[in-house]
Amino acid sequence: MPTLWIALFALVLSVVGYALGRRRAMVSADGDIRNLHSRPNYYGVNAALTGLVPAFLVLALWTLGQPLFLQNSVSGMISDAQIEETGSLGLVMSDVRRVADGLDQAVAEGAMDAETAGNVRIDLTDVRARLGEVGVALGSAVSQETLRAAQAYRAQSSFGDLLKTIVVLGIALAGISYAVMRTNATFRARNVVESGVRWLLIAAASIAILTTVGIFLSLIFNTVEFFRLYPAGDFFFGTTWQPSFTGRGGSSQLGVLPLLWGTFYISLIALAVAVPIGLFSAIYLSEYASPRVRSVAKPLLEVLAGIPTIVYGLFALLTVGPLLLRVFGDDTVGWMQGGTAVMTAGLVMGIMLIPFVSSLSDDIINAVPQAMRDGSLGLGATHSETVRQVILPAALPGIVGAILLAASRAIGETMIVVLGAGAAARLSLNPFDAMTTVTAKIVSQLTGDSDFSSPEALVAFALGMTLFVITLGLNVLALYIVRKYREQYE
Amino acid sequence: MNDMRLIERAVDMDDIKISARDVQVYYGDNHAIKDVNVDIQDKTVTAFIGPSGCGKSTFLRCLNRMNDTIDICRVEGDIHLDGEDINDKRVDPVQLRAKVGMVFQKPNPFPKSIYDNAAYGPKIHGMAKNKAELDEIVERALRRGAIWDEVKDRLDAPGTGLSGGQQQRLCIARAVATEPEVLLMDEPCSALDPIATAQVEELIDELRQNYSVVIVTHSMQQAARVSQKTAFFHLGNLVEYDETGKIFTNPEDERTESYITGRIG
């Protein structure tokens, strides 16, 4: 039975469990809910959850674990000679899986009957051609050994699926009946459900955290691999970025400094645009605007945050770049050679960041107690004096936090840079020069046909890691600042 | 309550500082203050008492136009400060609030140092020529707020780190630092313990030497202790306004008597 059907079936069982639990509780209370410890719904939910949660947990683990288990047990059947011939065990095993899935598919589509599929022999049938008919393409003719392994794979996996169905539904049934058995008028179903809800929330939170850890680990292995091939000193302190794709190894210069400088410079310009505009609009919206204006203007401003960055990139490439070129190009002052430049990307990125700064700052300024405003106005301060001397200082930690969050957004931004800043990695002070950033180079190192064992490709992971550490540091700093000064007015 | 003492208490000055005529206040459609007429004397403590929601705070906020900051609030009628209509278009509410200071119910020191809190008003209004003069103003204000001795060694510490009573005295010091002519106090002791309350009350009595003080309070004992004149508000009306001794011993209106004896509230 496919996983989806098992899940649906378990769900149906739990609905039945809900009804049973609820009814049993009502019966044990002689139909009067005042005799129950909890309201009847809680007994129902308790029965449903006791069955459903462990069943789903086992289902998820089993579905993830079964392929790994089968892989191990079947790979023993592959001889060393076969592995040598194909290249690696991984490739053989992927062939095995394809053949196995192909046979299953052929049976499902009626191209073979189940018995034929079970007894396919390489010397009697052209397996590759037959599978090709049902749309499963194989790279080479199937060897006897692969076919045998595939048959074993099929047998074990269908046995595993059957076992999975039985175990999962069994657990669901057992859980539901246990919960229904326990149900009586004095059973504290409400407390049980309450702690169940707590665990559900904990699980959700830990998934988010574990994913972060997982991303970090996936980066770190490749980064370590990169530093084995390329000296760390040259990476961190090299001032030239010149990856070579023709002569592999040795001839590439992979210094990160030009990229970091580009990232830093573009982010700086972006923040120089976004912080004043964002902050001022936040002050206007929260302090001066009438509720009507605010209710229209704030969503409009936040629309900016909803525009995909690739659209901003196009805006940079087609509008801002040519415009800047006309003003600062060869025709006038000659500072700018092409439309793609640090300034182009920085300006457009700044526009993108305005809603981040303004929306967060607006919330923070609104959180400053009215008593502060009254106190200042009551002393004869004007509105802008109040904003400047009382509200902004009170909201400053939050505003700094908002700015740092915008900064980490700027550092991680890719599409605007790819389209607006050019691709040349260089260390220059002229903001009208084309430069590039860490993110843009990660894209260019990994696009196309890349060999994942060369330093030229692996450097992308080291770059990703560097970015991750920088933005993580900024976020931690932002949190620290916000937390340290948060309780100043209370 | 010591009735004898209350009766003996006389008002030394007869100068009218603020006179309000036919004041109406609306919050949207809600008529919060109805036909209030009152004359507040100079160098006198005037107490506003009355049950919650009777409009005493609202009326207090009319006196320095703090109600301007509330969008839906509308004020009608004449309020004159030293004979000048404060609701006149030519009057700058900012200037008015410098003359009519205000202390709020909850202590609201700014998230700045104690010194900067006290120096806030003087700095804004340019009252000091230089740092030394500012220091002097701050010290005088903090002394008047009866908090100088407690904070003189830590003027750089944040004002929000003080205790509730100290914070409120700092707020009073902050208000008197701008040398206002009238000081409005909106339940200044409601968040304070009895000791801090006693300190603030003592302070109010001292402030009477220089200012006209208007205090809103829920505590009738407090009104009796600190004020020379008392106004009783009920449901947006000014029911009775007279010398404090008279209000508490021999009120003319039935409602006043019911309130001070605890029958309505």
Side-chain angles (χ1 to χ4, degrees):
Chain A
M1 203 186 287
T3 309
L4 184 66
W5 280 106
I6 303 177
L8 278 179
F9 208 76
L11 215 59
V12 170
L13 278 182
S14 76
V15 171
V16 173
Y18 175 87
L20 284 178
R22 198 190 141 98
R23 215 184 58 194
R24 191 178 160 95
M26 289 303 284
V27 168
S28 78
D30 301 327
D32 184 353
I33 60 166
R34 282 173 301 179
N35 294 336
L36 287 171
H37 170 269
S38 317
R39 277 179 297 141
N41 284 354
Y42 281 107
Y43 293 96
V45 171
N46 173 43
L49 286 184
T50 317
L52 201 60
V53 170
F56 270 16
L57 220 58
V58 170
L59 183 63
L61 288 178
W62 195 305
T63 309
L64 290 175
Q66 181 167 308
L68 293 177
F69 177 77
L70 287 183
Q71 180 111 358
N72 272 335
S73 79
V74 173
S75 62
M77 296 170 69
I78 312 285
S79 65
D80 289 347
Q82 173 91 19
I83 293 172
E84 220 157 280
E85 193 184 313
T86 324
S88 78
L89 180 62
L91 289 177
V92 182
M93 282 313 295
S94 81
D95 259 0
V96 168
R97 273 199 306 276
R98 286 182 77 90
V99 172
D101 291 346
L103 287 173
D104 282 341
Q105 202 175 331
V107 173
E109 289 184 11
M112 276 186 206
D113 59 54
E115 204 178 334
T116 329
N119 299 318
V120 168
R121 279 178 53 189
I122 190 138
D123 40 351
L124 296 182
T125 325
D126 182 359
V127 177
R128 188 179 175 196
R130 289 295 294 275
L131 291 184
E133 286 166 23
V134 292
V136 178
L138 291 171
S140 58
V142 180
S143 73
Q144 185 61 38
E145 207 170 315
T146 312
L147 188 63
R148 241 190 32 217
Q151 294 292 17
Y153 189 95
R154 281 186 67 207
Q156 289 185 16
S157 107
S158 72
F159 176 70
D161 283 348
L162 184 68
L163 201 64
K164 177 167 80 173
T165 312
I166 294 170
V167 169
V168 168
L169 294 183
I171 289 175
L173 267 179
I176 289 168
S177 14
Y178 171 66
V180 171
M181 298 285 281
R182 273 214 298 179
T183 299
N184 61 45
T186 54
F187 177 62
R188 300 183 176 185
R190 200 171 165 196
N191 307 24
V192 175
V193 171
E194 193 61 41
S195 70
V197 166
R198 193 171 67 119
W199 281 107
L200 194 76
L201 300 179
I202 289 176
S206 17
I207 285 175
I209 293 167
L210 287 177
T211 312
T212 314
V213 175
I215 290 175
F216 188 76
L217 288 179
S218 75
L219 280 177
I220 206 155
F221 287 123
N222 286 307
T223 307
V224 169
E225 181 70 24
F226 168 72
F227 283 126
R228 244 190 319 196
L229 297 171
Y230 193 86
D234 289 0
F235 174 73
F236 285 117
F237 303 109
T239 54
T240 319
W241 175 267
Q242 226 164 50
S244 105
F245 276 100
T246 44
R248 288 217 188 285
S251 62
S252 285
Q253 283 186 295
L254 301 172
V256 75
L257 283 182
L259 305 185
L260 279 183
W261 171 244
T263 304
F264 174 74
Y265 207 173
I266 291 174
S267 305
L268 199 72
I269 291 174
L271 288 178
V273 172
V275 170
I277 297 179
L279 201 54
F280 288 169
S281 56
I283 291 171
Y284 171 71
L285 283 178
S286 58
E287 291 294 319
Y288 289 87
S290 69
R292 267 230 332 261
V293 174
R294 185 182 147 88
S295 68
V296 176
K298 201 176 177 200
L300 277 183
L301 195 62
E302 281 164 1
V303 164
L304 276 181
I307 299 176
T309 56
I310 185 76
V311 177
Y312 280 111
L314 289 175
F315 179 60
L317 187 68
L318 299 177
T319 313
V320 177
L323 193 75
L324 285 175
L325 192 61
R326 216 176 309 147
V327 179
F328 299 104
D330 283 335
D331 298 343
T332 55
V333 284
W335 293 344
M336 203 166 172
Q337 262 65 52
T340 54
V342 168
M343 193 51 102
T344 315
L347 285 179
V348 174
M349 202 189 281
I351 294 167
M352 180 195 80
L353 292 177
I354 289 172
F356 284 86
V357 178
S358 77
S359 193
L360 281 171
S361 306
D362 178 51
D363 292 345
I364 292 154
I365 291 173
N366 269 328
V368 174
Q370 183 62 30
M372 293 289 143
R373 296 183 183 89
D374 285 349
S376 173
L377 293 172
L379 287 172
T382 64
H383 207 144
S384 78
E385 283 165 346
T386 302
V387 169
R388 208 170 53 240
Q389 306 209 18
V390 175
I391 295 179
L392 284 187
L396 193 64
I399 291 172
V400 171
I403 291 171
L404 286 180
L405 284 181
S408 46
R409 215 20 242 253
I411 289 171
E413 177 47 47
T414 314
M415 280 334 291
I416 295 176
V417 179
V418 169
L419 292 179
R426 84 176 76 170
L427 279 166
S428 155
L429 279 175
N430 182 0
F432 296 102
D433 271 347
M435 283 187 211
T436 193
T437 65
V438 178
T439 49
K441 277 303 157 197
I442 293 179
V443 173
S444 68
Q445 290 312 99
L446 289 185
T447 10
D449 205 5
S450 44
D451 173 5
F452 270 84
S453 53
S454 71
E456 284 79 8
L458 284 173
V459 70
F461 295 97
L463 290 175
M465 195 73 191
T466 316
L467 264 194
F468 183 76
V469 169
I470 292 174
T471 48
L472 187 74
L474 272 181
N475 283 351
V476 168
L477 186 69
L479 280 179
Y480 172 77
I481 289 176
V482 170
R483 221 172 264 170
K484 178 160 182 204
Y485 297 102
R486 181 159 49 188
E487 282 165 355
Q488 265 203 325
Y489 47 85
E490 253 169 30
Chain B
M1 224 176 289
N2 187 338
D3 292 347
M4 289 306 291
R5 196 168 64 89
L6 287 171
I7 292 166
E8 280 165 15
R9 191 179 296 176
V11 177
D12 350 320
M13 301 280 293
D14 280 338
D15 298 348
I16 307 292
K17 189 69 185 170
I18 298 176
S19 81
R21 289 288 168 272
D22 301 324
V23 175
Q24 322 276 345
V25 180
Y26 302 87
Y27 285 116
D29 295 333
N30 180 13
H31 197 171
I33 296 277
K34 297 157 194 158
D35 297 323
V36 169
N37 294 291
V38 81
D39 288 321
I40 290 165
Q41 287 164 331
D42 201 8
K43 304 207 194 305
T44 306
V45 178
T46 306
F48 290 175
I49 59 170
S52 292
C54 67
K56 42 192 197 308
S57 291
T58 302
F59 182 69
L60 190 74
R61 289 168 66 96
C62 290
L63 301 181
N64 67 345
R65 290 183 59 180
M66 277 302 276
N67 284 330
D68 289 12
T69 60
I70 300 169
D71 286 333
I72 56 163
C73 185
R74 208 169 79 245
V75 180
E76 287 171 9
D78 295 331
I79 300 174
H80 290 265
L81 173 69
D82 290 333
E84 197 184 357
D85 184 0
I86 65 166
N87 286 315
D88 195 284
K89 281 207 164 35
R90 279 165 303 178
V91 172
D92 179 5
V94 171
Q95 291 298 322
L96 172 70
R97 288 178 200 142
K99 268 198 268 181
V100 183
M102 188 157 192
V103 175
F104 295 85
Q105 181 171 4
K106 243 181 79 187
N108 58 348
F110 303 133
K112 299 165 173 287
S113 70
I114 293 168
Y115 181 94
D116 285 339
N117 261 287
Y120 185 82
K123 267 190 196 162
I124 283 179
H125 300 297
M127 290 166 65
K129 277 205 297 283
N130 50 40
K131 180 85 171 71
E133 240 180 70
L134 189 63
D135 288 347
E136 210 173 288
I137 291 173
V138 166
E139 181 178 338
R140 198 166 59 230
L142 290 173
R143 276 189 198 284
R144 275 210 205 137
I147 192 179
W148 171 254
D149 291 332
E150 288 157 71
V151 299
K152 65 180 174 207
D153 299 324
R154 48 175 174 146
L155 290 174
D156 290 332
T160 44
L162 298 170
S163 74
Q166 289 173 325
Q167 285 189 10
Q168 191 63 305
R169 277 179 284 148
L170 176 62
C171 291
I172 295 172
R174 188 175 72 183
V176 300
T178 51
E179 304 283 352
E181 297 165 19
V182 180
L183 195 58
L184 308 177
M185 301 179 126
D186 190 357
E187 299 182 43
C189 301
S190 65
L192 305 184
D193 70 8
I195 296 168
T197 302
Q199 284 166 329
V200 171
E201 283 177 6
E202 207 171 302
L203 182 58
I204 292 170
D205 208 48
E206 279 167 32
L207 293 175
R208 183 163 73 94
Q209 312 299 322
N210 302 300
Y211 313 112
S212 159
V213 177
V214 184
I215 177 170
V216 165
T217 177
H218 268 132
S219 154
M220 280 172 280
Q221 287 85 346
Q222 182 171 58
R225 281 193 301 264
V226 301
S227 70
Q228 284 79 48
K229 302 214 57 171
T230 297
F232 171 63
F233 284 79
H234 189 240
L235 300 175
N237 296 303
L238 176 64
V239 174
E240 196 168 348
Y241 175 53
D242 214 324
E243 307 229 332
T244 301
K246 182 149 186 311
I247 292 272
F248 281 98
T249 53
N250 188 20
E252 278 173 11
D253 197 285
E254 237 174 86
R255 287 170 290 176
T256 315
E257 191 179 357
S258 303
Y259 182 70
I260 60 170
T261 52
R263 278 199 298 270
I264 59 168

